[in-house]
Amino acid sequence: MIDMGWKANMGSEKTTTKSSKLISTTTKLNLSLPVSFHSSELTTASPSSCSSYEQYLRLNDLRKLWSSREFPEWRNESVLKPGFQALEITFRFISTVLSDPRPYANRREWKRKLESLTTSQIQLIAMICEDDEEDGEARGRVPIVDLGSSNGVITRDGSSAEVWKIRGEATVVNRTSEASLLPRLASWQSSEDIAQMIQYSIECEMRRCPYTLGLGEPNLAGKPNLDYDLICRPNELHSLRNSPYDQIENYENQTVYTTHQILESWIYAAHELLKRIADRIEQKNFARAASDCYLMERIWKLLQEIEDLHLLMDPDDFLKLKNQLAIKSLQESEAFCFRSMTLVEVTKKCKDLKHKVPLILDVDVDPMGGPRIQEAAMKLYSEKREIEKIHLLQSLQAIESAIKKFFFAYKQVLVMVIGSLEAKGNRVVVSSNSDDKLSQIFLESTYFPSLDAAKTFLGDIHCVFRSDRMTRVKP
């Protein structure tokens, strides 16, 4: 994949000499540092496969909605808008699942999975909204529904809009979205229970924010509503509900199509969040960058949860759809996830965050491969003076862990859904020591070898000091 940039395999004599400030030169440490693993560059599938994938999901149309900028002063628009749209597509997915006429569909488990997925998305959206309010420059830029925006006149258009008087003279407009599917789901008998659970989740998760989403949640605090319809544009989003291959008579077609639209929406949000992470690190706003990195970790975990939905699809119908869509993996590089060009790009950019470590530690990379970065990290960890830097380094490694978990889990899902032979490149003989790209991603050595070495040294230092103390207290 991507070269590590620094050497993790350093000579013990040179390392011991350069680390004399932290340990005694007479102390010998028994260290076994990881050897750098250099894998091939991560690449997308063939251009034709990527093009077919994008055409199937109507990604060009979706990108226009994700990338539209209607609120120039709202810095979080590029991250939150695709997140809101993924949430709205999930409401449509719930409607699709509950309308499934197949008697053998596991409707009960589908409801539980989609309820869990929706809650995870709401939690993530709430965290991003909280970040908005904690950022002094971004605070107050979110488009909300208030009396000032309409001179006290509300256009109802069939929606449930109310003006509340609370806390004396305070006036709040409480408006339920006119275009979102969630309020409609709450009014249908078959989906009332899951819709109400989602609305209560919104109420709970948005409790730290000064506004709420306006999707029919109780809004017990009487907070102003986010202008959901203006941001999310549900009507335009739902105009893309039909696949270009809708003529295929297979109910799993809509399931696969919708699942991947949700997936791609969050991948785009991750792509935009990475830009903000890089900017904040360059500005040395390490506390905010660490917060964004933990958001990125959660997005990777959410992507894994979305991919797990494939396990509930009917095996026969899914494999029939796979043939109907002429989807086939002819070689290792054609693994299905690599057809998403944005996923590959996000993966690369997440790994490239390792190049920010010298800036964070305020040291230059030693051109001779010396342990400058390692020693700076050891000093940072042991002195605990710049906590925000420690938090940022921890969050970077949390992203690495989440990436490897995602691709490991993805490979297991692939095997379970289409079978091990097809999942491993259609080989007649499958080796247990397969070097396919999915395996390389989660078996690759750490993206942060200097941080790894620093922790190895610190661990051994504490072990040596402990042994030394125990020897001294012996009679």
Side-chain angles (χ1 to χ4, degrees):
M1 302 215 173
I2 299 175
D3 186 67
M4 293 301 160
W6 305 300
K7 296 181 180 178
N9 193 13
M10 297 171 290
S12 59
E13 291 181 6
K14 183 177 180 180
T15 302
T16 304
T17 301
K18 288 186 174 288
S19 303
S20 58
K21 294 181 181 179
L22 292 170
I23 59 174
S24 171
T25 53
T26 60
T27 303
K28 293 184 179 180
L29 300 177
N30 183 18
L31 299 176
S32 178
L33 298 181
V35 178
S36 295
F37 173 78
H38 298 277
S39 60
S40 58
E41 178 75 17
L42 183 63
T43 57
T44 61
S46 66
S48 59
S49 296
C50 293
S51 177
S52 298
Y53 176 80
E54 296 206 353
Q55 181 184 359
Y56 173 64
L57 297 178
R58 301 181 69 175
L59 285 187
N60 286 335
D61 295 323
L62 278 173
R63 283 195 192 99
K64 291 176 183 178
L65 292 176
W66 297 333
S67 61
S68 63
R69 297 291 174 266
E70 300 177 31
F71 313 98
E73 296 182 352
W74 185 27
R75 294 174 60 182
N76 266 348
E77 181 182 8
S78 62
V79 179
L80 268 176
K81 179 173 284 187
F84 281 132
Q85 290 168 342
L87 184 64
E88 186 63 33
I89 296 171
T90 307
F91 301 154
R92 189 179 81 213
F93 200 178
I94 292 171
S95 174
T96 300
V97 167
L98 296 180
S99 304
D100 191 342
R102 297 173 298 174
Y104 49 86
N106 192 347
R107 200 169 285 103
R108 181 180 182 182
E109 193 59 32
W110 266 113
K111 286 179 68 174
R112 289 175 174 173
K113 289 282 188 182
L114 290 178
E115 184 180 302
S116 173
L117 175 63
T118 307
T119 301
S120 297
Q121 293 180 80
I122 293 169
Q123 288 175 344
L124 192 48
I125 287 170
M127 290 177 182
I128 299 172
C129 291
E130 289 170 25
D131 180 83
D132 242 354
E133 292 307 306
E134 292 172 2
D135 187 345
E137 296 181 8
R139 188 182 300 121
R141 307 294 185 183
V142 181
I144 61 173
V145 178
D146 59 11
L147 287 177
S149 63
S150 58
N151 296 319
V153 179
I154 303 173
T155 304
R156 294 182 62 89
D157 291 336
S159 71
S160 54
E162 302 171 344
V163 180
W164 292 359
K165 283 278 188 178
I166 59 172
R167 302 184 188 93
E169 296 300 318
T171 304
V172 172
V173 176
N174 187 60
R175 188 181 74 178
T176 299
S177 167
E178 300 168 13
S180 174
L181 282 179
L182 184 59
R184 302 180 201 180
L185 291 173
S187 66
W188 299 338
Q189 185 175 359
S190 62
S191 56
E192 181 182 9
D193 56 342
I194 187 171
Q196 288 181 348
M197 287 289 290
I198 293 169
Q199 289 171 334
Y200 290 136
S201 293
I202 294 172
E203 178 77 5
C204 292
E205 298 301 334
M206 296 295 291
R207 65 191 181 278
R208 297 191 186 95
C209 299
Y211 50 84
T212 189
L213 301 186
L215 293 176
E217 63 272 24
N219 193 12
L220 299 177
K223 296 188 291 188
N225 297 151
L226 190 98
D227 203 335
Y228 182 88
D229 290 350
L230 189 60
I231 298 168
C232 182
R233 297 158 70 180
N235 288 331
E236 294 179 48
L237 189 65
H238 293 314
S239 69
L240 304 177
R241 67 179 302 155
N242 295 324
S243 159
Y245 299 90
D246 241 21
Q247 71 277 9
I248 294 177
E249 295 183 2
N250 189 326
Y251 207 82
E252 293 296 4
N253 184 33
Q254 190 63 34
T255 306
V256 172
Y257 176 72
T258 309
T259 298
H260 283 266
Q261 282 196 334
I262 298 170
L263 182 80
E264 288 293 333
S265 296
W266 279 110
I267 290 173
Y268 186 86
H271 181 271
E272 295 302 302
L273 183 61
L274 277 167
K275 296 178 183 177
R276 198 169 75 183
I277 291 172
D279 289 342
R280 284 178 165 171
I281 292 177
E282 290 294 330
Q283 296 165 6
K284 299 192 176 181
N285 189 351
F286 298 133
R288 310 302 313 154
S291 178
D292 283 346
C293 286
Y294 280 118
L295 287 176
M296 179 62 65
E297 178 202 15
R298 281 183 169 268
I299 290 178
W300 277 107
K301 290 180 177 180
L302 179 62
L303 298 182
Q304 181 179 332
E305 188 175 355
I306 296 168
E307 288 288 2
D308 283 348
L309 294 177
H310 289 86
L311 296 174
L312 280 179
M313 298 177 190
D314 179 75
D316 182 61
D317 289 348
F318 178 81
L319 292 173
K320 186 185 298 181
L321 175 66
K322 178 174 171 290
N323 288 324
Q324 289 170 324
L325 294 175
I327 299 174
K328 194 168 184 64
S329 177
L330 298 177
Q331 54 186 356
E332 294 295 347
S333 61
E334 292 283 308
F336 300 113
C337 64
F338 298 134
R339 301 184 185 201
S340 171
M341 293 189 290
T342 313
L343 177 64
V344 173
E345 184 180 357
V346 166
T347 304
K348 287 180 178 180
K349 287 188 174 182
C350 282
K351 295 174 72 174
D352 283 344
L353 288 172
K354 66 177 179 280
H355 299 306
K356 302 293 183 182
V357 172
L359 173 63
I360 297 168
L361 295 174
D362 198 22
V363 294
D364 295 324
V365 178
D366 190 337
M368 301 302 293
R372 287 183 191 170
I373 298 173
Q374 172 194 317
E375 290 181 341
M378 292 172 68
K379 183 178 180 181
L380 177 70
Y381 290 145
S382 60
E383 292 184 351
K384 299 181 176 62
R385 293 179 181 175
E386 298 177 285
I387 303 300
E388 68 281 355
K389 289 187 177 183
I390 296 177
H391 293 171
L392 179 53
L393 295 179
Q394 286 179 306
S395 65
L396 290 175
Q397 291 188 294
I399 292 176
E400 176 188 356
S401 175
I403 291 173
K404 292 182 176 180
K405 287 176 183 176
F406 170 80
F407 284 103
F408 179 82
Y410 179 82
K411 184 164 186 175
Q412 308 315 307
V413 169
L414 202 60
V415 169
M416 298 303 168
V417 171
I418 66 174
S420 58
L421 189 64
E422 176 70 16
K424 295 180 180 180
N426 205 26
R427 296 180 182 180
V428 176
V429 178
V430 178
S431 169
S432 60
N433 297 319
S434 175
D435 60 348
D436 63 282
K437 290 191 175 182
L438 281 175
S439 298
Q440 288 176 10
I441 292 174
F442 59 77
L443 292 177
E444 184 180 3
S445 59
T446 177
Y447 307 158
F448 306 96
S450 295
L451 301 183
D452 181 70
K455 292 180 179 179
T456 303
F457 268 92
L458 283 176
D460 276 315
I461 289 170
H462 292 311
C463 182
V464 169
F465 287 167
R466 179 174 177 273
S467 300
D468 186 53
R469 284 197 301 269
M470 292 179 66
T471 301
R472 291 179 182 178
V473 298
K474 285 184 179 180

